[in-house]
Structures are given as C-alpha cells and as structure tokens.
Short mmCIF file of all heavy atoms in Angstrom, two decimals:
data_model
loop_
_atom_site.label_atom_id
_atom_site.label_comp_id
_atom_site.label_asym_id
_atom_site.label_seq_id
_atom_site.Cartn_x
_atom_site.Cartn_y
_atom_site.Cartn_z
N ALA A 76 14.90 4.93 5.79
CA ALA A 76 13.58 4.82 5.31
C ALA A 76 13.31 5.80 4.24
O ALA A 76 12.67 5.58 3.23
CB ALA A 76 12.56 4.99 6.49
N GLN A 77 13.81 7.08 4.40
CA GLN A 77 13.65 8.12 3.42
C GLN A 77 14.35 7.69 2.09
O GLN A 77 13.80 7.91 1.00
CB GLN A 77 14.14 9.41 3.94
CG GLN A 77 13.31 10.01 5.02
CD GLN A 77 13.90 11.22 5.69
OE1 GLN A 77 15.11 11.47 5.53
NE2 GLN A 77 13.14 12.04 6.32
N ASN A 78 15.56 7.22 2.16
CA ASN A 78 16.26 6.84 0.98
C ASN A 78 15.63 5.67 0.27
O ASN A 78 15.50 5.65 -0.93
CB ASN A 78 17.72 6.48 1.33
CG ASN A 78 18.57 7.69 1.67
OD1 ASN A 78 18.22 8.83 1.36
ND2 ASN A 78 19.68 7.47 2.40
N GLU A 79 15.22 4.67 1.03
CA GLU A 79 14.57 3.48 0.47
C GLU A 79 13.28 3.91 -0.27
O GLU A 79 13.07 3.48 -1.45
CB GLU A 79 14.21 2.52 1.54
CG GLU A 79 13.59 1.27 1.12
CD GLU A 79 13.34 0.25 2.21
OE1 GLU A 79 14.28 0.10 3.05
OE2 GLU A 79 12.20 -0.19 2.34
N ASN A 80 12.40 4.73 0.28
CA ASN A 80 11.21 5.14 -0.33
C ASN A 80 11.40 6.00 -1.47
O ASN A 80 10.68 5.99 -2.43
CB ASN A 80 10.27 5.87 0.67
CG ASN A 80 9.70 4.86 1.69
OD1 ASN A 80 9.55 3.68 1.40
ND2 ASN A 80 9.29 5.41 2.87
N SER A 81 12.41 6.86 -1.46
CA SER A 81 12.63 7.70 -2.63
C SER A 81 13.16 7.02 -3.84
O SER A 81 13.02 7.49 -4.94
CB SER A 81 13.65 8.84 -2.22
OG SER A 81 14.88 8.30 -1.99
N ASN A 82 13.71 5.87 -3.71
CA ASN A 82 14.22 5.06 -4.84
C ASN A 82 13.16 4.13 -5.48
O ASN A 82 13.47 3.53 -6.42
CB ASN A 82 15.40 4.23 -4.41
CG ASN A 82 16.62 5.13 -4.08
OD1 ASN A 82 16.75 6.21 -4.64
ND2 ASN A 82 17.46 4.68 -3.24
N ASN A 83 11.96 3.99 -4.78
CA ASN A 83 10.99 3.09 -5.34
C ASN A 83 10.08 3.74 -6.36
O ASN A 83 9.77 4.83 -6.21
CB ASN A 83 10.15 2.51 -4.18
CG ASN A 83 10.98 1.56 -3.32
OD1 ASN A 83 11.72 0.81 -3.83
ND2 ASN A 83 10.79 1.65 -2.01
N SER A 84 9.69 2.96 -7.34
CA SER A 84 8.80 3.45 -8.33
C SER A 84 7.36 3.37 -7.84
O SER A 84 7.13 2.80 -6.82
CB SER A 84 8.87 2.57 -9.67
OG SER A 84 8.34 1.33 -9.37
N ILE A 85 6.47 4.07 -8.49
CA ILE A 85 5.04 4.06 -8.13
C ILE A 85 4.52 2.63 -8.12
O ILE A 85 3.58 2.26 -7.35
CB ILE A 85 4.20 4.98 -9.09
CG1 ILE A 85 2.75 5.14 -8.50
CG2 ILE A 85 4.11 4.39 -10.45
CD1 ILE A 85 2.77 6.12 -7.39
N GLU A 86 5.11 1.74 -8.95
CA GLU A 86 4.65 0.34 -9.02
C GLU A 86 4.78 -0.36 -7.65
O GLU A 86 4.05 -1.25 -7.39
CB GLU A 86 5.48 -0.29 -10.13
CG GLU A 86 5.14 -1.76 -10.26
CD GLU A 86 6.01 -2.43 -11.32
OE1 GLU A 86 6.92 -1.74 -11.94
OE2 GLU A 86 5.86 -3.64 -11.53
N GLN A 87 5.81 0.08 -6.89
CA GLN A 87 6.09 -0.61 -5.63
C GLN A 87 5.49 0.13 -4.38
O GLN A 87 5.62 -0.32 -3.28
CB GLN A 87 7.57 -0.74 -5.49
CG GLN A 87 8.21 -1.51 -6.53
CD GLN A 87 9.70 -1.52 -6.57
OE1 GLN A 87 10.29 -0.54 -6.17
NE2 GLN A 87 10.37 -2.51 -7.10
N GLN A 88 4.86 1.25 -4.55
CA GLN A 88 4.48 2.08 -3.45
C GLN A 88 3.18 1.64 -2.71
O GLN A 88 2.95 2.01 -1.58
CB GLN A 88 4.27 3.52 -3.87
CG GLN A 88 5.58 4.15 -4.18
CD GLN A 88 5.36 5.65 -4.52
OE1 GLN A 88 4.28 6.16 -4.52
NE2 GLN A 88 6.50 6.32 -4.88
N GLU A 89 2.37 0.73 -3.25
CA GLU A 89 1.12 0.42 -2.63
C GLU A 89 1.35 -0.27 -1.25
O GLU A 89 0.48 -0.20 -0.47
CB GLU A 89 0.19 -0.44 -3.49
CG GLU A 89 0.48 -1.92 -3.57
CD GLU A 89 1.48 -2.34 -4.57
OE1 GLU A 89 2.08 -1.47 -5.27
OE2 GLU A 89 1.68 -3.54 -4.74
N ASN A 90 2.51 -0.92 -1.07
CA ASN A 90 2.76 -1.61 0.22
C ASN A 90 3.36 -0.73 1.24
O ASN A 90 3.51 -1.13 2.39
CB ASN A 90 3.67 -2.83 -0.01
CG ASN A 90 2.94 -3.92 -0.73
OD1 ASN A 90 1.77 -4.05 -0.49
ND2 ASN A 90 3.67 -4.67 -1.49
N ARG A 91 3.75 0.50 0.87
CA ARG A 91 4.54 1.37 1.77
C ARG A 91 3.66 2.52 2.30
O ARG A 91 4.17 3.59 2.51
CB ARG A 91 5.72 1.97 1.01
CG ARG A 91 6.71 0.84 0.69
CD ARG A 91 7.95 1.39 0.12
NE ARG A 91 9.05 0.52 -0.19
CZ ARG A 91 9.11 -0.75 -0.44
NH1 ARG A 91 8.08 -1.37 -0.41
NH2 ARG A 91 10.19 -1.33 -0.71
N VAL A 92 2.35 2.29 2.53
CA VAL A 92 1.50 3.39 3.03
C VAL A 92 0.89 2.91 4.28
O VAL A 92 0.74 1.76 4.58
CB VAL A 92 0.46 3.73 1.96
CG1 VAL A 92 0.97 4.25 0.71
CG2 VAL A 92 -0.40 2.48 1.63
N ILE A 93 0.53 3.99 5.08
CA ILE A 93 -0.04 3.70 6.36
C ILE A 93 -1.57 3.87 6.30
O ILE A 93 -2.30 3.15 6.85
CB ILE A 93 0.52 4.66 7.40
CG1 ILE A 93 2.01 4.36 7.58
CG2 ILE A 93 -0.16 4.52 8.75
CD1 ILE A 93 2.79 5.34 8.40
N VAL A 94 -2.04 4.85 5.49
CA VAL A 94 -3.42 5.17 5.35
C VAL A 94 -4.19 4.14 4.43
O VAL A 94 -3.80 4.04 3.25
CB VAL A 94 -3.58 6.59 4.82
CG1 VAL A 94 -5.09 6.89 4.70
CG2 VAL A 94 -2.95 7.59 5.72
N LYS A 95 -5.13 3.43 5.02
CA LYS A 95 -5.91 2.56 4.17
C LYS A 95 -7.20 2.27 4.86
O LYS A 95 -7.30 2.38 6.10
CB LYS A 95 -5.16 1.19 3.95
CG LYS A 95 -4.89 0.34 5.09
CD LYS A 95 -4.10 -0.91 4.66
CE LYS A 95 -3.80 -1.78 5.89
NZ LYS A 95 -3.18 -3.01 5.50
N LYS A 96 -8.26 2.03 4.01
CA LYS A 96 -9.62 1.91 4.60
C LYS A 96 -10.39 0.93 3.74
O LYS A 96 -10.47 1.13 2.51
CB LYS A 96 -10.31 3.22 4.70
CG LYS A 96 -11.70 3.23 5.21
CD LYS A 96 -12.34 4.57 5.24
CE LYS A 96 -13.72 4.47 5.72
NZ LYS A 96 -14.44 5.77 5.64
N CYS A 97 -10.99 -0.03 4.35
CA CYS A 97 -11.92 -0.97 3.54
C CYS A 97 -13.17 -0.16 3.23
O CYS A 97 -13.84 0.30 4.18
CB CYS A 97 -12.25 -2.22 4.39
SG CYS A 97 -13.15 -3.49 3.41
N ILE A 98 -13.50 -0.01 1.95
CA ILE A 98 -14.63 0.84 1.60
C ILE A 98 -15.80 -0.07 1.00
O ILE A 98 -16.89 0.45 0.80
CB ILE A 98 -14.27 1.89 0.58
CG1 ILE A 98 -13.61 1.33 -0.68
CG2 ILE A 98 -13.36 2.91 1.21
CD1 ILE A 98 -13.34 2.32 -1.76
N ALA A 99 -15.55 -1.38 0.82
CA ALA A 99 -16.63 -2.21 0.36
C ALA A 99 -16.29 -3.70 0.58
O ALA A 99 -15.10 -4.08 0.45
CB ALA A 99 -16.99 -2.00 -1.16
N GLY A 100 -17.24 -4.48 0.88
CA GLY A 100 -17.05 -5.93 0.97
C GLY A 100 -16.22 -6.38 2.14
O GLY A 100 -16.18 -5.70 3.21
N ASN A 101 -15.53 -7.51 1.98
CA ASN A 101 -14.76 -8.12 3.13
C ASN A 101 -13.31 -8.14 2.75
O ASN A 101 -12.80 -8.79 1.93
CB ASN A 101 -15.19 -9.54 3.29
CG ASN A 101 -14.48 -10.30 4.38
OD1 ASN A 101 -13.51 -9.84 4.96
ND2 ASN A 101 -15.03 -11.40 4.80
N CYS A 102 -12.60 -7.18 3.47
CA CYS A 102 -11.05 -6.95 3.20
C CYS A 102 -10.27 -7.78 4.14
O CYS A 102 -9.05 -7.54 4.30
CB CYS A 102 -10.73 -5.52 3.32
SG CYS A 102 -11.67 -4.42 2.19
N ILE A 103 -10.83 -8.78 4.76
CA ILE A 103 -10.09 -9.72 5.59
C ILE A 103 -10.07 -11.12 4.98
O ILE A 103 -8.98 -11.57 4.66
CB ILE A 103 -10.73 -9.88 7.07
CG1 ILE A 103 -10.85 -8.47 7.71
CG2 ILE A 103 -9.95 -10.90 7.91
CD1 ILE A 103 -9.55 -7.84 8.08
N ASN A 104 -11.16 -11.69 4.72
CA ASN A 104 -11.25 -12.98 4.01
C ASN A 104 -12.48 -12.97 3.05
O ASN A 104 -13.58 -13.06 3.52
CB ASN A 104 -11.39 -14.14 5.02
CG ASN A 104 -10.14 -14.46 5.86
OD1 ASN A 104 -9.09 -14.72 5.18
ND2 ASN A 104 -10.21 -14.34 7.10
N GLY A 105 -12.20 -12.73 1.83
CA GLY A 105 -13.29 -12.61 0.84
C GLY A 105 -12.91 -11.72 -0.24
O GLY A 105 -11.80 -11.51 -0.57
N LYS A 106 -13.96 -11.06 -0.77
CA LYS A 106 -13.81 -10.10 -1.86
C LYS A 106 -14.14 -8.68 -1.32
O LYS A 106 -15.23 -8.51 -0.73
CB LYS A 106 -14.68 -10.42 -3.02
CG LYS A 106 -14.36 -9.55 -4.24
CD LYS A 106 -15.20 -10.02 -5.51
CE LYS A 106 -14.78 -9.17 -6.65
NZ LYS A 106 -15.43 -9.46 -7.90
N GLY A 107 -13.23 -7.76 -1.51
CA GLY A 107 -13.46 -6.41 -0.98
C GLY A 107 -12.69 -5.36 -1.73
O GLY A 107 -11.85 -5.63 -2.54
N THR A 108 -12.98 -4.09 -1.33
CA THR A 108 -12.28 -2.98 -1.99
C THR A 108 -11.63 -2.10 -0.86
O THR A 108 -12.29 -1.76 0.11
CB THR A 108 -13.30 -2.06 -2.73
OG1 THR A 108 -13.97 -2.89 -3.67
CG2 THR A 108 -12.59 -0.96 -3.43
#
C-alpha cells in the first residue's frame, strides 16, 4: 500500500483518501459538494 500510494500522481489521489465529508447538497443521489 505504501509503494502503490507513493507512485501515484496528485491526479489519482482523490480516490485514495479516508477523510471525506458532505458539506452541501445531496452526496448520495443528486447534486452535492
């Protein structure tokens, strides 16, 4: 996991995070942030 993450560019990192929070709208089905 450490080697895989260290080889990825910033372009690919949005899917490899644990911390996330819906801050507006509907982040399940609809439009949200």
Side-chain angles (χ1 to χ4, degrees):
Q77 289 171 342
N78 288 339
E79 184 178 310
N80 288 335
S81 65
N82 292 333
N83 290 321
S84 69
I85 192 75
E86 180 182 359
Q87 298 170 332
Q88 288 180 4
E89 84 273 4
N90 288 327
R91 295 188 176 22
V92 296
I93 296 169
V94 179
K95 61 183 186 177
K96 179 181 177 185
C97 187
I98 57 176
N101 183 343
C102 298
I103 302 296
N104 288 304
K106 187 173 183 180
T108 303

